[in-house]
Amino acid sequence: MKAAMKIKKKGPRLLALHLALLAAAAQAQLVDDVEIRREGEDAVLQVRFVTPVQLLRSLSARSGDLGQVYYDLLPTREPLNLAISSERRLPAGARSPLLILTDEAAGGAERSRKLVLRFSANTPFVARSTQGGRSIELVLRGQGAALAGAGTPTAATLPAPAPLPAPMPAPDSQAQGKAEALLAAARRAMEAGEHQQAINQLDELLALPPSTATQEAQELIAQARWRQGDPERARAEYELYLRLYPQGAGAERAREALLTLAPPAPQVVEAGAQPAVSTTLSGSLASFYYGGQSKIRTQDFQDSPLSGLPELVSDATLSNTDQKQLISSVDINWRRRDADSDLRLVLRDSYSADLLRSTKSKNKLSALYADYRLQSQGLSLRLGRQSPTGAGVMGRFDGAQLGYRFSPKWRVNAVAGRPSDSLLQSQRHFYGASLDADELAKGLGGSVYLIEQRIDGEIDRRGVGSELRFLAGNLSASGMLDYDSQLRGLNIASLQATWISEENMVVNALYDRRSTPMLILGNSLFFQNPVLGVQASRLAELLASQSLALLRQQVRDTTAYSTQAMLSVTRPISTNWQLGADLRLTNVGALLPVPDILPNGQPGTGNIWSSGLQLIGTNLYSARDTHVLVLSLLKGLSYTGKLLSYNNSSSIGGGWQLEPALRYYLQNDSNGTRSQRWAPGLRVTYRASSKLALESELSMEFSDISGPNRNESSNRSFWYFGLRYDL
């Protein structure tokens, strides 16, 4: 199930705002930043997230220019607005592959995500986890010099002729015939000005075994990308041509083209002069309209302290509430770097317009901060609205984080601020300190922290905790423990680990137990008796009739705990197939009613066990198709269930991406009730240009429930469409 998309609000200035923004993807984005560094002959892209994640598996298309990295969002206190998709463009040196990195939903599970990697040339990569669990690293094989800042080729630095390639094996007649037909079709498409169609046909040709048509196809695809207005990819294709075919007339044409395509030579910095400064601007503007029925988990739910509540497979996805909603968002990341300093300015904002209830429209500022790092002094400062990065901070806040590295392996940090999400009319603020050790032992790092949050003059939370990180070869692990000394209760006990073998087998383990919502004194305001005529809006109003000790006991008695555990294995079984299996445990305690968010409360689930198999296929009928088939068996206290789902992603001519999906769930309860749910869906993306993407989705849910005292059917739909413009 995807992020709740029941969007609220409207205003008379909405249309003007949308035209000004060109439009916007929904809500704040999960990718916080992308860093590039060199590691020997390879380049490493570190994708940092605003919340903890767990790597599951990675896939690569036969063409080598498309990859997918699947991951799960781990339980978190951070209210997450799960965007439909977000995108980062990473153009590097002229000899490197241009990388377009897209973060988007994966399948039907709300917290299942994937990174889609689009390279301009064949680029082998390996995905791996990192210490701390807030980032995934992509190791780009053989791209160290290109992606980590090597000079840009000019007339004086074009690739030197390489040794002649080994003789090409004779192709079979069937492959040769198909290659020649694709080449002829690509020529006709280029003559007609259909450059994207030609590129798709040439991509398919180049994925075939080498033939007499391969060399010309490599030159033609470079020309097609150039004529399409994509000089970065054209340059990469010409570079690849020269590496493969350094001799002959085609090589001379490629060198002449590179002289035109190559950007100006980099300036040479004289001794004693100021170091080189690089400035980049990235981000997106987007807008999406939502119709049909809203998701069960509305945006109000996602923004509440209950947002981290595990979502159950047995839960329906769509409500019976109609929606007409429009969301616009902006995501801007400006960066200035030199040899010693790094300055980032980040803005993420969205405006939700409810076209049915204009009073529900609102603006949501997710991030507005400046991040400054001074390497020589070991100083770091982040100031503004920001997501937590550890140290006991559990949610988005307005404030400052200051760090000082007083030793190569040790750093001390301080944080202070106010939670950005209000709790009725109460006043809250917090302050804390932490100590980080990069390497207590080989591969082992961690931190300890102390944090205090106050509400209306009283202690809301006093947390003491520790975070541990371990990285050794192909094994990475992280853990966290948080205890409240005032409320005398455990907030979080969590441990996750990932191991990746040399054969790309991935083993994941997770154990997470946490209070839901977080154990704080303010829960006495959140869980008030809904039958009372007057609800308190500040803690002082509750203290007028109850003692502080009684309120703390009430919080301990009413705060539930959720437990999640998982063990999964994914292993390649052939060139085109991977097989996965997992075992999961979920247990959520009883929750009291919360007006507008959980009006009926929720009973405890008991232990829910599920076991599943996943079959993942790639390149079954093209150079860029993926297939995920999942079968899961569930057993709860009073029911058993079966889930079967299929997700497909296929690229077709002209920049189209189709992603059909189908989910079937069957449940039998101990009281004789039988329920089944069909949920087909289709997501379509069209890339009108290298920076403009149009996106739409239609999801439907057909439910039938039959039992001794209940027989009903329902049909619901959810859809959206919109566009995103990438800066």
Side-chain angles (χ1 to χ4, degrees):
M1 289 167 264
K2 292 188 179 175
M5 289 298 168
K6 183 180 178 182
I7 309 152
K8 304 179 169 186
K9 316 197 173 186
K10 176 185 177 183
R13 57 193 177 94
L14 178 65
L15 291 179
L17 174 66
H18 281 67
L19 290 174
L21 289 182
L22 290 180
Q27 309 304 325
Q29 315 206 341
L30 295 172
V31 175
D32 182 47
D33 193 23
V34 180
E35 287 278 4
I36 305 175
R37 71 177 187 273
R38 185 171 183 173
E39 197 172 274
E41 295 300 317
D42 302 327
V44 177
L45 269 67
Q46 185 182 67
V47 184
R48 291 204 295 265
F49 299 87
V50 300
T51 186
V53 301
Q54 185 169 43
L55 173 67
L56 295 179
R57 58 183 176 270
S58 62
L59 308 173
S60 184
R62 185 171 64 234
S63 58
D65 60 355
L66 177 68
Q68 298 183 53
V69 179
Y70 289 80
Y71 69 94
D72 276 350
L73 299 174
L74 294 180
T76 178
R77 303 295 184 192
E78 170 80 349
L80 297 177
N81 297 320
L82 304 181
I84 295 300
S85 63
S86 62
E87 190 164 284
R88 298 291 179 92
R89 298 174 58 84
L90 301 171
R95 286 181 293 168
S96 70
L98 173 73
L99 170 62
I100 301 176
L101 184 147
T102 307
D103 175 68
E104 58 189 43
E110 181 185 50
R111 296 195 169 223
S112 296
R113 309 284 297 181
K114 66 179 177 181
L115 298 173
V116 180
L117 317 172
R118 296 178 176 88
F119 301 98
S120 62
N122 189 324
T123 306
F125 75 94
V126 174
R128 67 189 185 193
S129 298
T130 63
Q131 285 186 331
R134 286 181 177 265
S135 59
I136 292 174
E137 288 189 342
L138 310 172
V139 182
L140 310 185
R141 298 302 191 194
Q143 295 294 333
L147 265 177
T152 338
T154 62
T157 60
L158 291 175
L164 287 172
M168 183 182 65
D172 63 78
S173 57
Q174 184 178 3
Q176 177 68 36
K178 183 176 181 181
E180 290 176 352
L182 286 169
L183 183 61
R187 290 198 200 100
R188 290 193 297 271
M190 289 186 65
E191 291 171 357
E194 299 291 339
H195 301 124
Q196 184 60 53
Q197 181 180 343
I199 289 170
N200 293 334
Q201 291 163 337
L202 293 167
D203 268 341
E204 186 176 353
L205 190 161
L206 292 170
L208 297 173
S211 68
T212 57
T214 303
Q215 181 173 349
E216 184 179 351
Q218 182 61 47
E219 183 179 4
L220 276 179
I221 198 171
Q223 295 174 5
R225 292 194 186 280
W226 194 356
R227 294 178 187 178
Q228 192 186 37
D230 196 347
E232 291 93 346
R233 291 191 177 189
R235 188 182 305 120
E237 297 287 4
Y238 277 125
E239 293 286 354
L240 178 59
Y241 183 94
L242 286 176
R243 286 197 294 270
L244 296 173
Y245 314 106
Q247 309 276 343
E252 292 302 318
R253 291 192 296 271
R255 290 189 175 92
E256 290 174 2
L258 285 170
L259 290 175
T260 304
L261 284 167
Q267 294 182 347
V268 178
V269 180
E270 301 291 341
Q274 294 296 318
V277 175
S278 67
T279 302
T280 58
L281 177 67
S282 62
S284 64
L285 308 172
S287 190
F288 285 84
Y289 177 82
Y290 297 87
Q293 279 76 48
S294 69
K295 298 286 180 125
I296 292 285
R297 292 199 168 188
T298 65
Q299 194 58 53
D300 282 347
F301 185 98
Q302 296 289 353
D303 292 339
S304 78
L306 296 177
S307 61
L309 194 67
E311 191 168 18
L312 306 179
V313 174
S314 56
D315 292 340
T317 308
L318 303 178
S319 71
N320 58 5
T321 304
D322 291 336
Q323 66 173 355
K324 290 183 180 179
Q325 305 167 50
L326 192 60
I327 293 183
S328 294
S329 70
V330 57
D331 176 21
I332 296 178
N333 192 318
W334 179 86
R335 190 167 199 166
R336 180 192 181 278
R337 284 184 286 186
D338 59 32
D340 187 46
S341 65
D342 186 351
L343 173 64
R344 290 176 60 213
L345 302 178
V346 176
L347 167 65
R348 299 189 188 103
D349 188 63
S350 64
Y351 182 74
S352 303
D354 192 317
L355 305 182
L356 295 176
R357 299 173 298 169
S358 59
T359 56
K360 293 291 187 178
S361 297
K362 66 181 177 182
N363 188 78
K364 186 172 184 64
L365 180 65
S366 301
L368 179 60
Y369 65 83
D371 187 294
Y372 182 70
R373 300 173 187 272
L374 193 61
Q375 302 295 337
S376 60
Q377 303 298 320
L379 290 172
S380 64
L381 173 66
R382 179 176 288 193
L383 182 65
R385 177 161 295 187
Q386 54 195 285
S387 295
T389 57
V393 182
M394 297 297 182
R396 190 178 297 117
F397 68 98
D398 299 324
Q401 295 186 75
L402 178 65
Y404 173 60
R405 185 172 294 279
F406 60 89
S407 168
K409 296 182 179 180
W410 293 87
R411 185 174 73 243
V412 63
N413 310 281
V415 62
R418 296 178 179 273
S420 62
D421 296 319
S422 62
L423 180 57
L424 301 179
Q425 297 180 19
S426 61
Q427 299 296 316
R428 298 181 294 166
H429 67 276
F430 65 85
Y431 42 84
S434 62
L435 180 66
D436 287 355
D438 287 346
E439 197 167 22
L440 294 167
K442 187 175 181 180
L444 178 65
S447 65
V448 293
Y449 62 81
L450 178 66
I451 189 168
E452 180 169 298
Q453 180 167 298
R454 303 188 72 85
I455 177 171
D456 296 338
E458 302 290 345
I459 296 176
D460 191 27
R461 150 176 162 78
R462 181 176 287 166
V464 57
S466 176
E467 299 176 5
L468 291 176
R469 306 175 295 272
F470 180 73
L471 181 63
N474 295 335
L475 174 65
S476 63
S478 62
M480 180 178 180
L481 186 70
D482 184 279
Y483 179 81
D484 193 304
S485 60
Q486 283 291 304
L487 293 169
R488 301 192 303 277
L490 186 69
N491 254 316
I492 300 175
S494 180
L495 176 66
Q496 68 141 323
T498 300
W499 178 74
I500 306 176
S501 73
E502 296 299 329
E503 295 77 27
N504 205 29
M505 181 175 73
V506 182
V507 180
N508 286 294
L510 168 70
Y511 176 82
D512 185 276
R513 178 172 172 81
R514 62 183 60 211
S515 58
T516 306
M518 183 172 65
L519 200 64
I520 56 175
L521 186 60
N523 286 354
S524 57
L525 287 170
F526 191 66
F527 290 112
Q528 294 187 59
N529 190 339
V531 302
L532 295 178
V534 179
Q535 300 286 305
S537 59
R538 300 192 61 193
L539 191 68
E541 298 173 19
L542 291 178
L543 289 174
S545 59
Q546 303 176 65
S547 68
L548 185 60
L550 184 61
L551 284 182
R552 286 176 176 163
Q553 185 60 48
Q554 177 185 330
V555 168
R556 286 192 289 268
D557 293 341
T558 58
T559 301
Y561 280 85
S562 66
T563 302
Q564 296 183 78
M566 182 267 288
L567 179 64
S568 70
V569 180
T570 304
R571 179 186 178 87
I573 55 177
S574 72
T575 304
N576 300 93
W577 292 98
Q578 294 187 38
L579 183 64
D582 63 59
L583 180 66
R584 298 173 184 260
L585 168 67
T586 302
N587 187 312
V588 182
L591 294 167
L592 295 178
V594 182
D596 298 328
I597 296 173
L598 203 64
N600 299 319
Q602 178 175 295
T605 66
N607 288 341
I608 301 175
W609 291 93
S610 72
S611 57
L613 291 174
Q614 303 91 38
L615 186 62
I616 304 107
T618 57
N619 312 318
L620 301 186
Y621 52 75
S622 72
R624 297 184 187 85
D625 61 276
T626 60
H627 313 257
V628 180
L629 184 65
V630 177
L631 172 63
S632 295
L633 304 178
L634 298 92
K635 180 174 176 52
L637 287 178
S638 60
Y639 71 89
T640 59
K642 301 179 181 67
L643 172 68
L644 182 64
S645 69
Y646 170 72
N647 293 88
N648 171 275
S649 177
S650 299
S651 298
I652 60 176
W656 291 89
Q657 184 84 13
L658 300 182
E659 298 177 74
L662 179 64
R663 288 164 59 89
Y664 174 70
Y665 178 70
L666 175 65
Q667 178 175 304
N668 291 290
D669 296 352
S670 57
N671 61 7
T673 300
R674 181 179 186 272
S675 59
Q676 62 176 351
R677 190 165 60 245
W678 289 92
L682 175 63
R683 179 182 174 190
V684 179
T685 303
Y686 173 66
R687 291 188 168 273
S689 70
S690 59
K691 292 190 175 184
L692 180 63
L694 288 79
E695 188 175 308
S696 179
E697 179 179 318
L698 171 63
S699 298
M700 305 192 73
E701 196 169 82
F702 304 95
S703 300
D704 289 294
I705 301 176
S706 59
N709 302 308
R710 186 181 182 188
N711 287 280
E712 61 183 58
S713 298
S714 64
N715 301 328
R716 296 166 182 168
S717 63
F718 163 82
W719 54 269
Y720 70 81
F721 67 87
L723 58 87
R724 182 184 65 248
Y725 181 79
D726 300 304
L727 302 178

